[in-house]
Amino acid sequence: MNSSNLIQRLNQMPSWLQLLVALLSGALIPLSFAPFNIWPLGILALVIFAVLINNQSLKTVWWRSWWFGVGMYAVGVSWIYVSISGFGGAPAPLAAFLVLIFVFFMAAFFSLPFYAFGRWFSFHPLSLLVAFPACWLISEWLRTWLLTGFPWLFIGYADLTNWLSGWAPIVGVMGLSLFSALTAALIAQIIFIPKKSLSVVLSCIAVVGIWLAGFALQKLDWTQVAKSPTSLAIVQPNVNQEDKWQSDFQETNFDLLRSKTEPLWGHKIIIWPEAAIIQPYGTVLPFLNEMNRKASDSESGLITGIIFDDAEKDVYYNSVVTFGKAIGIHHKRRLVPFGEYVPIEALRNLIEFFNLPTSIISLGPEEQHGLKVDDLSVAPSVCYEVAFPDLIAKNAVDSQLLISVSNLGWFGDSLGRHQFMQMAQMRALETQHYYAYSTNNGPSAIFDRKGNITAQTNAFEQTTLSSEIYAVDGATPFMIFGSLPVVLLSAFSLMLVFFFGKKIQTRSGFFL
């Protein structure tokens, strides 16, 4: 059976079966990410999706895009059920219903640019090769900021394990997504809609060139590594979420942090995870003063996550604070809806999940100055901030080392913790900076400037990690320009196709 017959049979399927194909192809996307890392499945899913929405009516494109998004999010963010049911106190049926509503909402969010695809580009001769990759990129970009943003499941994360990863320090994860979508669009064009087209020939050359260039770029160093390493240690307390916020757990937690840190004093940098100290800063000053003295006496810089209470402003921040040889404070700038703040206050009394102990957090200032450990400049981030590539890249410009503190206990043993760690690896590669990744439940890890894991703990173990890390100087192109160039390129491509991209027959029989 040739490809044209496949397309014909697809179009002759009942509409419900076509939507099922869209749903199942969307569900393939998360399998390209950690922990599965089967990146060709992501390309395959995009190939199927491109064919499903090409040469279709606006209504058909919209519904197929939405169902593709439902499949992608239903599998990819299934860990939200663990957060709502396991730790948010919601009954299983209610938790499943809330997750379903979230999945439907995010699928609609995902499909917004494909409404434009169906409205103006679906029947265009350049719909696959230009409009489809551009709409995919714009869909990801919108998810980084619209309604505070949920930048999850970007297809570019799957490219950490293939040749395209060489482009990450230049174009970032969304640039990798654009290249992946372009690759899938070309495959769809060649296999399913074969035409004697100059545009296809040029696209083949471009795509092959992009992949070969990615392989070559993997060996290119944009930053310079210090000759001498810096000693660094991470404490992984592995505190249960059920115990963490109990009022009688405070002294037990202090003893745990003391005992785990005692053998580590003397390391230049020691990191405790997000909210390692459960009580607000102002209520635990005796313990903090004790840690400050020990850090100073041992020539160490202690960096920890804590809830910081600003008495003057009467607000709480999810923060990183420092002791001993470390100086500075950082307040989290990207908050998790419902987990750290409640968008609609009236929801607080409905179920326990809408009134979690951490749902009183305020947004930190956008411009902050990072941390210092002696002469080493450190760019910190707190948990959810890791998912925002441009935010981390901007912070890395004047820094020599990246660190993040997280509490992945909310995810349980689900896909969430694997996806989160993969995003941190991409931040290391995009900036070509060494990265210390500290979590409460693990795994905690050290990434080198190529995003490779150099040291790692096991998940759900109470343990520590001692390693060496290198300061880095210099900047990658992505740190300077961010995602803006690929976003503008995608928007400009759509404009060109819309205004000037009509089919032009040439003397040789090729068309553009």
Side-chain angles (χ1 to χ4, degrees), residues 229-235 264 266-270 434-437 444-448 452-457 464-470:
T230 296
S231 61
L232 181 143
I234 295 174
V235 175
L264 305 177
H267 287 76
K268 186 168 185 176
I269 300 174
I270 301 173
Y434 276 75
Y435 193 127
Y437 176 72
S444 301
I446 304 294
F447 311 128
D448 67 15
N452 300 311
I453 300 172
T454 63
Q456 180 180 354
T457 64
T464 62
L465 184 153
S466 295
S467 186
E468 291 183 335
I469 202 165
Y470 288 83

Side-chain angles (χ1 to χ4, degrees), residues 23-225:
L23 178 75
L24 295 178
S25 59
L28 292 176
I29 293 287
L31 302 182
S32 67
F33 306 135
F36 311 103
N37 292 317
I38 313 173
W39 66 264
L41 287 182
I43 300 292
L44 174 62
L46 291 184
V47 170
I48 298 171
F49 181 44
V51 172
L52 284 171
I53 65 174
N54 190 60
N55 290 337
Q56 301 295 329
S57 67
L58 174 59
K59 180 180 178 180
T60 300
V61 171
W62 170 260
W63 277 109
R64 292 182 181 181
S65 300
W66 187 76
W67 279 105
F68 183 92
V70 169
M72 180 172 69
Y73 281 102
V75 176
V77 300
S78 55
W79 47 265
I80 292 178
Y81 175 84
V82 178
S83 301
I84 297 175
S85 178
F87 304 111
L94 178 59
F97 174 75
L98 291 174
V99 171
L100 191 64
I101 293 299
F102 179 77
V103 166
F104 286 172
F105 175 77
M106 289 306 303
F109 218 46
F110 160 81
S111 61
L112 283 177
F114 295 103
Y115 178 90
F117 183 90
R119 176 68 176 81
W120 291 297
F121 303 106
S122 177
F123 292 96
H124 197 284
L126 292 178
S127 60
L128 285 181
L129 297 178
V130 177
F132 176 78
C135 286
W136 184 276
L137 186 282
I138 291 173
S139 174
E140 292 193 348
W141 174 69
L142 287 175
R143 284 178 272 154
T144 65
W145 61 270
L146 195 59
L147 299 180
T148 74
F150 184 69
W152 224 267
L153 305 183
F154 288 1
I155 194 64
Y157 286 112
D159 296 319
L160 266 174
T161 55
N162 63 42
W163 287 2
L164 289 182
S165 63
W167 284 98
I170 302 175
V171 297
V173 67
M174 282 193 280
L176 302 188
S177 295
L178 180 64
F179 293 156
S180 292
L182 176 60
T183 302
L186 177 62
I187 294 172
Q189 180 75 50
I190 292 173
I191 296 179
F192 294 100
I193 313 172
K195 291 181 180 179
K196 189 180 180 182
S197 166
L198 179 59
S199 59
V200 172
V201 174
L202 294 176
S203 296
C204 282
I205 295 172
V207 168
V208 171
I210 286 170
W211 280 79
L212 291 176
F215 175 73
L217 287 169
Q218 288 178 331
K219 300 173 175 59
L220 184 61
D221 295 328
W222 296 94
T223 57
Q224 299 78 48
V225 178

Side-chain angles (χ1 to χ4, degrees), residues 238-473:
N238 193 37
V239 174
N240 293 327
Q241 289 297 110
E242 295 86 350
D243 299 330
K244 194 173 183 70
W245 306 105
Q246 299 300 319
S247 57
D248 59 353
F249 186 69
Q250 175 175 308
E251 288 302 323
T252 302
N253 188 52
F254 288 167
D255 290 340
L256 170 61
L257 293 172
R258 285 189 187 101
S259 63
K260 287 297 179 183
T261 308
E262 189 62 35
L264 305 177
W265 294 122
H267 287 76
K268 186 168 185 176
I269 300 174
I270 301 173
I271 306 175
W272 294 349
E274 178 187 17
I277 303 172
I278 303 152
Q279 291 72 26
Y281 185 96
T283 66
V284 290
L285 289 177
F287 175 72
L288 297 180
N289 289 333
E290 174 192 343
M291 294 298 102
N292 186 55
R293 287 192 300 271
K294 289 195 172 187
S296 297
D297 292 344
S298 60
E299 299 290 313
S300 296
L302 175 61
I303 300 172
T304 183
I306 193 171
I307 302 301
F308 187 87
D309 47 336
D310 190 325
E312 292 184 4
K313 298 180 181 179
D314 192 27
V315 294
Y316 293 88
Y317 296 110
N318 191 350
S319 303
V320 171
V321 298
T322 57
F323 303 97
K325 293 296 182 178
I327 300 172
I329 187 169
H330 172 83
H331 302 310
K332 189 176 182 182
R333 295 152 298 175
R334 299 291 185 272
L335 303 182
V336 180
F338 302 106
E340 293 178 305
Y341 74 100
V342 179
I344 304 173
E345 283 295 321
L347 295 174
R348 281 194 181 274
N349 297 323
L350 291 181
I351 59 172
E352 184 181 345
F353 177 71
F354 293 145
N355 194 29
L356 294 172
T358 55
S359 62
I360 55 170
I361 303 300
S362 296
L363 198 66
E366 196 66 25
E367 298 296 328
Q368 300 187 48
H369 300 294
L371 314 177
K372 295 281 287 188
V373 182
D374 285 339
D375 58 345
L376 185 65
S377 299
V378 179
S381 57
V382 181
C383 202
Y384 191 47
E385 292 182 312
V386 170
F388 293 83
D390 290 73
L391 179 70
I392 302 301
K394 181 181 177 182
N395 290 349
V397 170
D398 297 318
S399 302
Q400 299 167 293
L401 173 66
L402 301 180
I403 71 164
S404 67
V405 297
S406 300
N407 176 22
L408 304 184
W410 296 107
F411 300 160
D413 190 11
S414 67
L415 296 180
R417 62 187 181 90
H418 299 283
Q419 295 168 357
F420 207 85
M421 184 169 174
Q422 189 173 49
M423 288 191 286
Q425 287 181 262
M426 182 63 77
R427 301 293 87 84
L429 180 58
E430 288 169 338
T431 61
Q432 283 205 351
H433 276 53
Y434 276 75
Y435 193 127
Y437 176 72
S438 169
T439 71
N440 172 43
N441 301 91
S444 301
I446 304 294
F447 311 128
D448 67 15
R449 58 180 178 154
K450 301 291 187 176
N452 300 311
I453 300 172
T454 63
Q456 180 180 354
T457 64
N458 294 322
F460 308 111
E461 285 187 6
Q462 196 174 92
T463 187
T464 62
L465 184 153
S466 295
S467 186
E468 291 183 335
I469 202 165
Y470 288 83
V472 167
D473 291 307

